[in-house]
């Protein structure tokens, strides 16, 4: 094999994700330092748990990148999708938590929707490749793709996870659009879907309150924006260069879930506007490398699977940063590879592992 044709993973993408994981360890430790010390009498209580999840995610990413040929995944796409549907139904019946998003299998607790999004993208990429020759046909080309996206996002929505459902829906629609379906077909189904999305965004009282508080932050529902306002205070306190690592004040019970849904605020407070721009740059660089892999993938399955995974992770990061910055209504969504949590970390690492494996098949 010629040197120019040697197979190797996208080292830049690997470096970007590894950097995000390292940043996550630093910020999770900083954002949990106070609460871990006061509640658990151990400053490293959360860090130890997060480190194990990062380590497991890293191992999973490497395993998928090196040993799991993405072309073999195509053969199991239907079975993966069926498994996703079964898990999404099971979590509605046996799910734990106020929003029934968690499923327990023995000692393992995991958020099903985090893994469902990857499973859906695998099956969607498989269907696009299989039906590429009739993609412009509504009945046999477009509708099966839209049905898959609507079904998965709908089941996730029933778990009272509106933001995750919306991200899955938008990412799936983008992938369908990139597949080359007729715009009029897409417009018809989106016009039908839009009222449903609006209905579910206001049908739950807490969602309506968040939306109203976002529209009128100084109104009677200003208390609903408490987290969002505290997040903005954190970003503002950081100034240009930040208050320094480990010196955040918002983590001290001012900002609930500072280590999860609002971790970008702690990062911005400690590393400032410059640090925040650097972190945003990493996510945009991730997006560029992911789309580049999609562009040069050797088959349609690889092209659309890498594009789907890239959009899923990138849009999640944008929504998290948008919420913390006050650009979007308050909601809970973790920052990929940085926020505390296991399900999101493992599922995103699976996605990146597949991305890296697809990049390895490209002749450089």
């Amino acid at each position: 094999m010629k040197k120019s044709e040697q197979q190797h993973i996208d080292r830049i993408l690997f470096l970007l994700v590894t950097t995000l994981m390292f940043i996550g360890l630093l910020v999770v430790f900083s954002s949990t330092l106070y609460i871990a010390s006061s509640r658990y009498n151990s400053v490293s209580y959360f860090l130890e748990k997060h480190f194990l999840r990062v380590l497991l995610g890293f191992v999973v990413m490497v395993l998928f990148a090196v040993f799991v040929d993405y072309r073999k995944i195509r053969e199991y796409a239907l079975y993966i999708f069926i498994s996703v549907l079964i898990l999404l139904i099971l979590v509605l019946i046996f799910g734990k938590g106020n929003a029934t998003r968690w499923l327990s299998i023995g000692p393992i607790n995991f958020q099903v929707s985090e893994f469902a999004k990857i499973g859906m993208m695998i099956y969607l990429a498989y269907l696009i490749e299989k039906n590429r020759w009739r993609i412009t046909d509504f009945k046999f080309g477009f509708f099966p793709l839209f049905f898959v996206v609507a079904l998965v996002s709908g089941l996730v929505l029933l778990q009272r996870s509106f933001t995750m459902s919306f991200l899955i829906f938008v990412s799936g629609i983008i992938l369908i659009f990139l597949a080359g379906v007729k715009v009029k077909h897409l417009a018809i189904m989106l016009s039908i879907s839009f009222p449903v999305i609006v209905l579910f965004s206001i049908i739950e009282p807490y969602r309506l309150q968040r939306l109203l508080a976002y529209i009128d932050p100084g109104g009677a529902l200003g208390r609903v924006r408490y987290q969002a306002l505290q997040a903005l205070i954190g970003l503002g306190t950081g100034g240009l260069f930040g208050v320094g690592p480990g010196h955040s004040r918002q983590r001290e019970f001012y900002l609930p879930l500072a280590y999860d849904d609002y971790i970008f605020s702690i990062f911005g407070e400690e590393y400032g506007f410059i640090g925040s721009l650097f972190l945003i740059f990493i996510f945009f660089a991730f997006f560029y490398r992911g789309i580049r892999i999609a562009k040069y993938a050797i088959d349609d399955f690889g092209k659309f699977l890498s594009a789907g995974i890239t959009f899923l992770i990138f849009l999640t990061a944008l929504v998290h940063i948008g919420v913390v910055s006050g650009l979007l209504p308050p909601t809970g969504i973790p920052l990929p590879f940085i926020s505390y949590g296991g399900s999101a970390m493992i599922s995103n690492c699976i996605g990146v592992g597949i991305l890296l494996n697809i990049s390895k098949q490209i002749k450089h």
Side-chain angles (χ1 to χ4, degrees):
M1 181 179 286
K2 297 179 181 179
K3 185 176 181 180
S4 61
E5 295 181 353
Q6 289 179 350
Q7 293 182 327
H8 58 78
I9 64 171
D10 188 318
R11 297 188 182 97
I12 296 178
L13 179 64
F14 179 78
L15 179 62
L16 291 170
V17 174
T18 305
T19 301
L20 289 172
M21 289 178 168
F22 179 74
I23 291 173
L25 287 171
L26 294 177
V27 186
V28 165
F29 178 59
S30 177
S31 61
T32 60
L33 187 64
Y34 189 83
I35 188 173
S37 177
S38 60
R39 290 185 179 178
Y40 302 100
N41 200 30
S42 171
V43 295
S44 61
Y45 177 84
F46 288 96
L47 177 63
E48 292 170 6
K49 293 179 178 292
H50 188 63
F51 176 77
L52 291 176
R53 291 162 178 171
V54 169
L55 182 61
L56 178 59
F58 184 83
V59 171
V60 167
M61 179 175 68
V62 172
L63 287 176
F64 271 86
V66 178
F67 299 107
V68 181
D69 190 328
Y70 81 93
R71 291 168 292 189
K72 292 292 184 180
I73 297 177
R74 179 200 287 115
E75 300 174 12
Y76 301 97
L78 177 60
Y79 303 106
I80 291 172
F81 184 65
I82 292 174
S83 299
V84 162
L85 295 182
I86 292 174
L87 288 173
L88 287 173
I89 293 172
L90 286 177
V91 77
L92 292 175
I93 302 172
F94 303 106
K96 292 185 175 182
N98 294 331
T100 61
R101 300 171 189 171
W102 297 83
L103 194 63
S104 295
I105 299 180
I108 301 174
N109 297 319
F110 62 98
Q111 192 170 343
V112 175
S113 59
E114 288 288 351
F115 298 93
K117 65 184 184 183
I118 301 295
M120 185 200 75
M121 283 301 173
I122 291 172
Y123 188 62
L124 204 58
Y126 163 78
L127 279 183
I128 291 173
E129 182 185 56
K130 181 181 178 182
N131 298 319
R132 196 73 194 277
W133 60 279
R134 55 181 179 181
I135 202 72
T136 56
D137 182 82
F138 180 84
K139 184 177 180 180
F140 299 103
F142 169 78
F143 186 75
L145 300 176
F146 185 85
F147 178 76
V148 167
V149 175
L151 179 60
V152 174
S153 58
L155 287 172
V156 172
L157 188 60
L158 291 178
Q159 300 172 25
R160 299 179 65 189
S161 182
F162 179 81
T163 307
M164 177 62 75
S165 173
F166 183 75
L167 284 169
I168 290 173
F169 183 79
V170 171
S171 300
I173 292 300
I174 290 174
L175 200 60
I176 293 174
F177 174 77
L178 293 176
V181 299
K182 287 185 177 180
V183 176
K184 69 176 182 179
H185 292 165
L186 197 57
I188 291 171
M189 297 309 294
L190 286 179
S191 64
I192 296 173
S193 304
F194 183 73
V196 178
I197 295 173
V198 172
L199 176 63
F200 274 93
S201 67
I202 63 175
I203 196 171
E204 292 281 355
Y206 73 92
R207 288 185 199 144
L208 179 59
Q209 288 182 348
R210 286 177 177 179
L211 184 59
L212 293 175
Y214 172 74
I215 296 172
D216 182 19
L221 291 173
R223 65 186 185 280
V224 179
R225 279 178 53 85
Y226 174 78
Q227 282 182 299
L229 291 173
Q230 291 298 324
L232 285 175
I233 291 173
L235 289 177
T237 303
L240 190 60
F241 297 105
V243 298
H247 291 85
S248 168
R249 291 297 303 276
Q250 293 305 103
R251 68 187 178 187
E252 299 173 8
F253 298 117
Y254 290 106
L255 182 59
L257 297 177
Y259 50 88
D260 189 1
D261 295 341
Y262 286 88
I263 200 166
F264 182 72
S265 175
I266 304 301
F267 182 85
E269 183 183 1
E270 295 191 342
Y271 297 92
F273 180 71
I274 300 299
S276 298
L277 282 183
F278 174 71
L279 186 59
I280 292 171
F281 169 79
I282 293 178
F283 279 110
F284 272 93
F286 170 88
F287 178 75
Y288 170 76
R289 300 306 297 187
I291 294 302
R292 185 179 182 275
I293 292 171
K295 180 180 179 181
Y296 293 107
I298 60 176
D299 55 28
D300 282 342
F301 180 68
K303 288 180 185 295
F304 291 102
L305 180 54
S306 52
I309 292 171
T310 300
F311 273 105
L312 267 175
I313 296 175
F314 180 68
L315 290 178
T316 301
L318 285 188
V319 170
H320 178 99
I321 294 170
V323 168
V324 172
S325 304
L327 300 175
L328 296 174
T331 187
I333 199 76
L335 187 58
F337 308 109
I338 294 181
S339 290
Y340 178 84
S343 296
M345 179 66 71
I346 302 303
S347 67
N348 287 331
C349 284
I350 290 173
V352 172
I354 295 173
L355 264 179
L356 292 172
N357 189 269
I358 294 172
S359 74
K360 191 175 73 169
Q361 313 303 328
I362 299 171
K363 293 181 179 180
H364 298 272

